Amino acid sequence: MVQYNFKKITVVPTGKEFVDIILSRTQRRTPTQVHKGYSISRLRQFYMRKVKYTQENFHLKLSTIIDEFPRLDDIHPFYGDLLHVLYNKDHYKLALGQINTARNLISKIQKDYVKLLKYGDSLYRCKSLKVAALGRMCTVIKRIGPSLAYLEQIRQHMARLPSIDPNTRTILICGYPNVGKSSFINKITRADVDVQPYAFTTKSLFVGHTDYEYLRYQVIDTPGILDRPFEDRNIIEMCSITALAHLRAAVLFFLDISGSCGYSIAQQAALFHSIKSLFMNKPLIIVCNKTDLQPLDKISEDDLKLVMEMKSEAMKTVIGQGGEPTDDSGVLLTMSTLTEEGVIAVKNAACARLLDQRVEQKMKSKKLNDCLNRFHVAMPKPRDQKERPPCIPQAVLEAKAKITVEKEKRKLERDIENENGGAGVYSASLKKHYILAHDEWKEDNIPEILDGHNVYDFIDPDILMRLEELEKEEGVLQGLGDDDDFEMDGAELSSEEQAALAEIRKKKSLLIQQHRIKKSTAESRPTVPRKFDKDRRFTSERMGRQLSTLGLDPTKAINRARSKSRGRKRERSVDGGVVDSMEVDGDQSNKKQRLRSLSRPRSRSQSRPPGELVPGEGFRDTAQKKKAIQMAKGSSKKRNKDARKGEADRVIPALKPKHLFSGKRSNGKTQRR
């Protein structure tokens, strides 16, 4: 897991932007109106709040910058030295120190001016102290403008650095420029490092990732190193030196044995011996690249001797890891990135060497001993010499044997096809799936003419009888399903049952007629149609007698029928007149009551409040109707304000009425005339 993510560092604003951000925030977040009529304590509190709020914002912003930038003494030595190489540790610390000093100065300015504001005796004095305090704070920020610009450049550069985890499995590639390092990392990882036929194409560290035995390895491509004194090396070379010095990795030292890189094998061997102190306690592999141009066995004896000397130095790392001195496999390897010959072998050898070293180090650590104390592996010991083989029931063994035999015996259609010439030659027979009385009949040819008749026209002699049986069975099933619509013909009934059946049918036809009348006439029909009740049989008295015979109380039904009947005039209440004439004598009150009742229109119904729900209006409840009325009033408010006649009124009034913008101008503002 990557421990350092420099991409999350907040952007560092310039000095001018810093001041604008803080002052605008103070203006937005604090009160802005004050009057000289306020009490002096309120004036002091108003300006003290502005000074304190400005100082808090400056302090918060500067503290964020100081905390988010990494401290070189607290991070991994690899990143500490890399930042020192890239940015100069002294300048970096000096810039952060100036930010810290500015933060302390702003806090001190705030304390001093808050003390002075406590003794401000007027609005002008308090305002002047506030302006002076904010001015001094902004001056401090402007003085550290160069440091802020320097830190912003560092932040941008650090955001472009590769995410390197110093503690994970790492393979480090080093060597002279243009020996094939970037081509190798492009082959074994998904990295896309630029490859060009000139030196120092790679100017910084590049990272790729590869897998070996289900483990993830990070591969680092370093810039080329030249053989010269340490103090003469530039920043590009020092990046490689820093990675070699601080990362626990397997080192691949690349040799160009063809000499096409522009450096001889002797120069490359000299570089190897000058930096071999950085290879201590690391798995080291000498990789001879570009064997497609010059094989290793065809180089000169002097060059071969130099290569063998480097191999002997690399063997010391194998011995240091606890390996055998005679085991020289995986120390000197050859490959060609152009033809990809030996590339995977080099990667596997480096990953295996590194994995062995990491496992050995963990085995020697104290942490492993602490874990081993918690483990106990129990090994059972035989209590006697008697053998106890596993007990499997005989039925299970027979079932397994039967399954095995069936698998062996079963022959698929594909097997038969392959035995008979394969696809295109063999044609599967469909007759073998016929279900017949004898299997030998399956392959018989079906005759077309039998006993002088066409087989396809052959009819079963009993087919009509079977059809009749089916029709009878179908009729029985339909009769069972139509019990609800069953009608009696009356032939099998007695005289009493026939009379009851006739009464039922008459009642049923009467109900059907009544239902049809209701559907056809709807609301216009009378309650009891006269043409169907000429004999006055449908009366309330008859209904009462019928309900009484059934054991029900007919009183409520009769009263309801009378109240709903047509022709009864509405009874008028006299309660309203009583309330109005409580203090009037009897004759006079009756007279007024009669006059009031006569003055009212006959057709007037009871008033209904506007919010009451009426069926058919489309509202769910009373609350929804009230809300709709309120929204309708609100929508028309703006239109009424503008004196519009309706929604379609699009008249544009005079923007400058003449009576306001003409004539002699007097003292004062125009809108005050």
Side-chain angles (χ1 to χ4, degrees):
M1 180 180 177
V2 179
Q3 295 179 347
Y4 308 103
N5 189 1
F6 299 137
K7 295 178 176 61
K8 291 185 178 180
I9 300 177
T10 309
V11 177
V12 181
T14 61
K16 187 176 182 305
E17 292 174 351
F18 211 121
V19 171
D20 293 342
I21 290 169
I22 300 301
L23 292 185
S24 64
R25 183 178 297 174
T26 304
Q27 186 72 5
R28 284 184 284 109
R29 300 291 181 87
T30 56
T32 56
Q33 289 189 357
V34 65
H35 303 289
K36 59 183 178 181
Y38 289 169
S39 62
I40 190 63
S41 60
R42 187 173 177 182
L43 294 174
R44 292 170 184 166
Q45 191 65 32
F46 178 84
Y47 288 109
M48 285 166 60
R49 181 178 177 182
K50 284 189 174 293
V51 174
K52 288 181 179 179
Y53 190 79
T54 305
Q55 182 268 335
E56 288 174 1
N57 285 329
F58 275 124
H59 188 277
L60 179 64
K61 201 79 172 172
L62 295 174
S63 299
T64 303
I65 294 173
I66 294 171
D67 294 339
E68 288 188 349
F69 274 88
R71 297 187 179 183
L72 301 184
D73 298 333
D74 297 342
I75 61 177
H76 194 276
F78 164 69
Y79 273 115
D81 282 0
L82 184 63
L83 296 181
H84 173 57
V85 168
L86 295 173
Y87 315 123
N88 194 336
K89 180 168 61 175
D90 297 334
H91 292 174
Y92 178 78
K93 287 186 174 181
L94 188 62
L96 288 178
Q98 289 180 353
I99 302 295
N100 189 30
T101 304
R103 182 178 62 175
N104 296 333
L105 283 174
I106 289 174
S107 300
K108 187 173 181 300
I109 291 170
Q110 178 259 336
K111 289 180 182 178
D112 294 342
Y113 277 87
V114 166
K115 287 181 182 179
L116 294 174
L117 279 168
K118 288 180 180 179
Y119 300 100
D121 54 358
S122 65
L123 174 63
Y124 176 75
R125 187 71 56 87
C126 293
K127 184 176 181 180
S128 301
L129 289 173
K130 185 266 296 185
V131 172
L134 268 58
R136 287 189 61 185
M137 292 180 188
C138 296
T139 303
V140 172
I141 294 298
K142 288 179 181 178
R143 285 178 181 172
I144 62 170
S147 298
L148 294 173
Y150 172 73
L151 289 175
E152 173 60 15
Q153 291 181 356
I154 289 179
R155 185 200 67 80
Q156 293 177 3
H157 193 276
M158 289 173 66
R160 293 192 293 268
L161 288 177
S163 298
I164 298 174
D165 186 1
N167 301 315
T168 191
R169 295 168 290 275
T170 307
I171 298 174
L172 203 60
I173 307 171
C174 65
Y176 256 93
N178 205 21
V179 294
K181 303 185 296 297
S182 299
S183 301
F184 177 71
I185 191 175
N186 287 344
K187 294 293 183 184
I188 66 171
T189 68
R190 296 181 64 184
D192 187 15
V193 186
D194 189 22
V195 177
Q196 298 294 340
Y198 51 82
F200 287 109
T201 307
T202 305
K203 297 182 180 180
S204 61
L205 300 177
F206 284 88
V207 180
H209 294 84
T210 186
D211 291 333
Y212 175 73
E213 292 186 355
Y214 306 104
L215 293 175
R216 179 60 59 87
Y217 290 78
Q218 74 177 1
V219 185
I220 301 177
D221 179 21
T222 62
I225 309 173
L226 299 179
D227 183 21
R228 52 184 175 181
F230 184 80
E231 56 273 5
D232 294 340
R233 290 194 170 102
N234 55 23
I235 294 177
I236 297 176
E237 296 175 89
M238 288 304 299
C239 291
S240 301
I241 299 297
T242 304
L244 286 169
H246 293 291
L247 292 178
R248 293 167 48 197
V251 181
L252 301 180
F253 188 83
F254 270 57
L255 280 177
D256 183 4
I257 57 177
S258 67
S260 60
C261 64
Y263 304 97
S264 63
I265 295 179
Q267 290 175 308
Q268 298 178 56
L271 172 65
F272 175 84
H273 290 292
S274 66
I275 62 173
K276 66 181 179 182
S277 59
L278 300 174
F279 303 150
M280 296 299 295
N281 301 323
K282 295 183 179 69
L284 177 61
I285 298 176
I286 309 298
V287 180
C288 298
N289 194 17
K290 303 184 182 180
T291 53
D292 56 317
L293 298 177
Q294 179 73 40
L296 180 62
D297 53 1
K298 292 186 179 181
I299 62 175
S300 62
E301 294 182 0
D302 296 337
D303 293 340
L304 185 59
K305 184 178 179 182
L306 293 173
V307 172
M308 291 303 158
E309 288 178 359
M310 287 188 284
K311 180 181 177 182
S312 61
E313 290 290 338
M315 284 297 298
K316 294 179 181 179
T317 61
V318 178
I319 299 171
Q321 288 182 279
E324 294 295 333
T326 58
D327 185 14
D328 59 350
S329 61
V331 176
L332 179 64
L333 299 174
T334 59
M335 74 168 190
S336 172
T337 54
L338 183 64
T339 61
E340 298 186 7
E341 181 183 356
V343 172
I344 300 301
V346 172
K347 184 199 85 167
N348 294 342
C351 294
R353 289 277 304 276
L354 179 62
L355 189 60
D356 293 342
Q357 188 210 31
R358 290 173 67 91
V359 170
E360 185 181 355
Q361 287 180 350
K362 289 182 180 179
M363 293 294 292
K364 292 179 180 178
S365 64
K366 295 181 180 179
K367 188 183 292 186
L368 182 65
N369 295 330
D370 297 339
C371 295
L372 288 176
N373 293 334
R374 304 175 191 174
F375 298 147
H376 174 69
V377 181
M379 298 297 293
K381 295 181 180 179
R383 63 189 178 203
D384 50 24
Q385 300 299 326
K386 186 177 180 181
E387 291 188 4
R388 294 178 175 83
C391 180
I392 302 175
Q394 187 64 27
V396 175
L397 294 175
E398 292 176 358
K400 286 185 176 181
K402 186 177 180 182
I403 292 171
T404 307
V405 171
E406 287 180 356
K407 285 183 178 179
E408 293 177 355
K409 285 184 177 179
R410 186 181 179 188
K411 186 177 288 188
L412 301 177
E413 192 71 29
R414 178 172 294 177
D415 300 333
I416 301 173
E417 181 184 39
N418 294 332
E419 291 175 359
N420 293 275
V425 177
Y426 170 75
S427 179
S429 175
L430 301 178
K431 295 181 179 180
K432 61 183 178 182
H433 298 297
Y434 288 174
I435 302 174
L436 301 176
H438 301 283
D439 291 340
E440 59 268 14
W441 293 356
K442 291 182 179 180
E443 298 299 330
D444 292 348
N445 293 326
I446 300 176
E448 295 182 4
I449 303 297
L450 183 66
D451 296 336
H453 297 281
N454 193 344
V455 174
Y456 293 103
D457 296 334
F458 188 79
I459 299 176
D460 187 357
D462 301 330
I463 191 168
L464 296 176
M465 183 178 64
R466 293 181 183 179
L467 178 61
E468 187 178 356
E469 292 176 358
L470 285 174
E471 288 178 350
K472 286 184 179 180
E473 184 179 356
E474 186 178 359
V476 172
L477 293 175
Q478 287 180 354
L480 293 175
D482 298 340
D483 287 342
D484 296 340
D485 299 332
F486 178 70
E487 292 288 342
M488 291 184 177
D489 54 359
E492 301 176 356
L493 299 178
S494 62
S495 58
E496 293 85 359
E497 290 175 344
Q498 288 179 357
L501 180 60
E503 188 69 23
I504 290 172
R505 287 175 175 172
K506 183 179 179 181
K507 182 69 174 178
K508 186 176 179 181
S509 62
L510 184 62
L511 291 174
I512 292 172
Q513 285 181 357
Q514 290 178 355
H515 179 67
R516 287 175 180 172
I517 291 168
K518 288 180 182 179
K519 285 184 66 176
S520 60
T521 58
E523 295 180 356
S524 63
R525 64 179 176 80
T527 308
V528 180
R530 290 185 177 87
K531 65 178 182 177
F532 290 106
D533 193 23
K534 294 179 180 179
D535 301 335
R536 300 285 294 171
R537 291 183 299 171
F538 299 102
T539 60
S540 58
E541 289 79 4
R542 183 184 175 188
M543 181 180 68
R545 288 195 302 270
Q546 289 180 350
L547 291 174
S548 299
T549 56
L550 296 174
L552 300 174
D553 185 12
T555 308
K556 292 183 179 180
I558 292 172
N559 293 337
R560 184 173 180 275
R562 285 175 179 172
S563 64
K564 295 280 185 178
S565 64
R566 192 168 181 169
R568 289 186 57 85
K569 295 184 179 179
R570 184 169 53 194
E571 297 177 357
R572 303 190 181 277
S573 174
V574 297
D575 295 342
V578 174
V579 176
D580 295 337
S581 57
M582 286 180 66
E583 298 179 359
V584 186
D585 295 339
D587 297 338
Q588 192 175 357
S589 64
N590 292 335
K591 185 178 180 181
K592 287 184 178 180
Q593 182 178 346
R594 287 195 301 272
L595 290 173
R596 188 179 293 110
S597 64
L598 291 172
S599 65
R600 290 176 183 168
R602 282 189 173 186
S603 62
R604 180 179 176 185
S605 61
Q606 185 180 1
S607 299
R608 183 182 291 112
E612 184 178 344
L613 185 66
V614 178
E617 286 185 335
F619 297 108
R620 184 176 63 250
D621 50 14
T622 307
Q624 190 181 33
K625 183 176 179 181
K626 289 181 179 179
K627 186 177 179 182
I629 294 171
Q630 191 68 23
M631 290 176 67
K633 289 181 180 178
S635 63
S636 61
K637 186 180 294 184
K638 187 176 185 304
R639 186 176 68 240
N640 296 340
K641 264 188 172 183
D642 296 339
R644 307 280 186 184
K645 292 183 179 179
E647 292 182 356
D649 189 357
R650 297 287 188 268
V651 65
I652 300 176
L655 299 180
K656 287 188 175 184
K658 190 170 182 181
H659 70 281
L660 289 179
F661 292 93
S662 63
K664 183 178 179 182
R665 186 187 297 263
S666 61
N667 293 334
K669 296 182 181 178
T670 304
Q671 63 264 30
R672 298 299 181 187
R673 284 191 287 119

